[in-house]
């Protein structure tokens, strides 16, 4: 089983992602309003690639295969209170490229209406259709449209022209938690607790909407201008009210039931939170393999946390990690009778004021250095290749009807 699992996508664990991107956004200002903004972070060469046998993200390192999803769920309700508006490309001035991916680019743009900075993710429709990503693209847009939470990325609008899809998000300048962690080597207990608590609030909100996130890791946690987090990249997320079988995620963060190709539910996100806490406190995930051997990695995960070499964590931190990384989902914290309440009530979080934290009334342990609006210094420079000149041009469009929730706003 383990070798078959590694054979399916184990070789991707060493993949680099120079052409992928992660999108993040604040929830405070629409392109038609006049409030703050935040960013898009391009992953560095040493980022861990996410993997899937059902390609659900724009990463060129995902590989499409058979889908084993067992559930059909109703359409997501629109719970967001963001103003409904129709956008078009001419509403923005394109500044520079922030990241590139298999299907397109992310641009830093400035609204002509309120002069605020935003990020627009541009996806080529022909490439999406050719790689059979229509459903996943529509799912990502629908989930982002349904979610509004202070610690989750925000989508303001989605539109299309003859050739491309456009997703408008706020520009987020703080950088990835992954970068901060690598620079710090490891986080002190209170710092790891702060970020873990905000992630827990975000996961609980997603689960209340029957959304499994499925790709929690420091690379997908972005720091806002005020140091609070934003969970980014919903390419692997899925609406699921019961169980699913799709093999996807980041190898170090996969729950054992995913590796064993069993049905799983939202509790895989709580398992991943346990891995995240361990990595923040120690600097490396619990089953880290220096040789990137996927077979050994998956064997360690299925053997469970009793085989981990434990650093000298604070005892309550160790206890919570063990309860979250419980190999039996029926005994895992977050999946018991009290749900997320067991996580929030754990003694490691005893001093956390959850209401203040949710309202961002607690000062973050690290404040990013931001040199004014539109500061994109956290991002690599990419060749522009005159890409924006090809947007909005007349063309044949046999695929427009495949993306019904992207407003058609051709000039």
């Amino acid at each position: 089983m383990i070798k078959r699992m590694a054979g399916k996508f184990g070789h991707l664990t060493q993949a680099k992602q120079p052409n992928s991107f992660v999108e993040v956004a604040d929830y405070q200002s629409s392109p038609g309003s006049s409030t703050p903004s935040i960013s898009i972070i391009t992953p560095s060469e040493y980022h861990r690639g996410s993997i899937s046998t059902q390609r659900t993200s724009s990463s060129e390192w995902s590989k499409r295969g058979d889908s084993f999803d067992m559930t059909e769920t109703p359409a997501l309700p629109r719970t967001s209170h963001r103003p409904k508006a129709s956008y078009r490309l001419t509403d923005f001035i394109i500044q520079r490229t922030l990241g590139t991916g298999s299907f397109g680019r992310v641009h830093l743009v400035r609204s002509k209406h309120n002069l605020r900075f935003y990020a627009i993710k541009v996806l080529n429709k022909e490439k999406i259709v050719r790689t059979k990503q229509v459903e996943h693209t529509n799912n990502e847009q629908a989930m982002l449209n349904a979610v509004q939470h202070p610690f989750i990325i925000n989508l303001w609008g989605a539109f299309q022209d003859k050739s491309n899809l456009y997703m408008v998000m706020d520009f987020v300048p703080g950088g990835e938690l992954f970068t901060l962690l690598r620079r710090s080597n490891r986080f002190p207990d209170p710092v790891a607790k702060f970020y873990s608590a905000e992630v827990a609030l975000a996961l609980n909100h997603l689960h209340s909407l029957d959304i499994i996130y499925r790709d929690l890791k420091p690379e997908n946690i972005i720091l806002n201008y005020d140091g609070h987090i934003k969970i980014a990249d919903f390419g692997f997320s899925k609406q699921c009210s019961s169980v699913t079988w799709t093999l996807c995620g980041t190898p170090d963060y996969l729950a054992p039931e995913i590796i064993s190709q069993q049905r799983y539910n939202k509790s895989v996100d709580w398992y991943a939170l346990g891995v995240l806490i361990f990595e923040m406190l120690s600097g490396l995930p619990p089953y880290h393999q220096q040789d990137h051997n996927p077979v050994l990695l998956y064997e360690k995960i299925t053997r469970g946390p009793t085989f981990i070499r434990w650093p000298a964590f604070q005892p309550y931190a160790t206890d919570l990690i063990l309860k979250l990384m419980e190999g039996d989902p029926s005994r895992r914290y977050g999946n018991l009778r009290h749900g997320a309440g067991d996580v929030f009530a754990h003694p490691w979080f005893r001093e956390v004021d959850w209401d203040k934290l949710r309202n961002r009334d607690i000062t973050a342990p690290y404040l990013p250095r931001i040199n004014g609006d539109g500061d994109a210094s956290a991002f690599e420079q990419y060749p522009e290749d005159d890409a924006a000149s090809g947007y909005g041009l007349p063309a044949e469009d046999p695929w427009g009807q495949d993306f019904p929730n992207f407003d058609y706003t051709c000039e």
Side-chain angles (χ1 to χ4, degrees), residues 345-365:
H346 191 274
W348 193 56
F349 287 130
R350 179 173 294 151
E351 68 271 29
V352 176
D353 187 322
W354 295 100
D355 290 331
K356 283 188 176 181
L357 187 65
R358 185 181 294 105
N359 294 329
R360 300 193 297 186
D361 290 334
I362 298 175
T363 302

Side-chain angles (χ1 to χ4, degrees), residues 389-408:
S389 64
Y391 301 156
L393 297 179
E396 295 294 325
D397 183 13
W399 307 295
Q401 72 278 0
D402 294 334
F403 306 97
N405 293 322
F406 289 78
D407 297 335
Y408 219 111

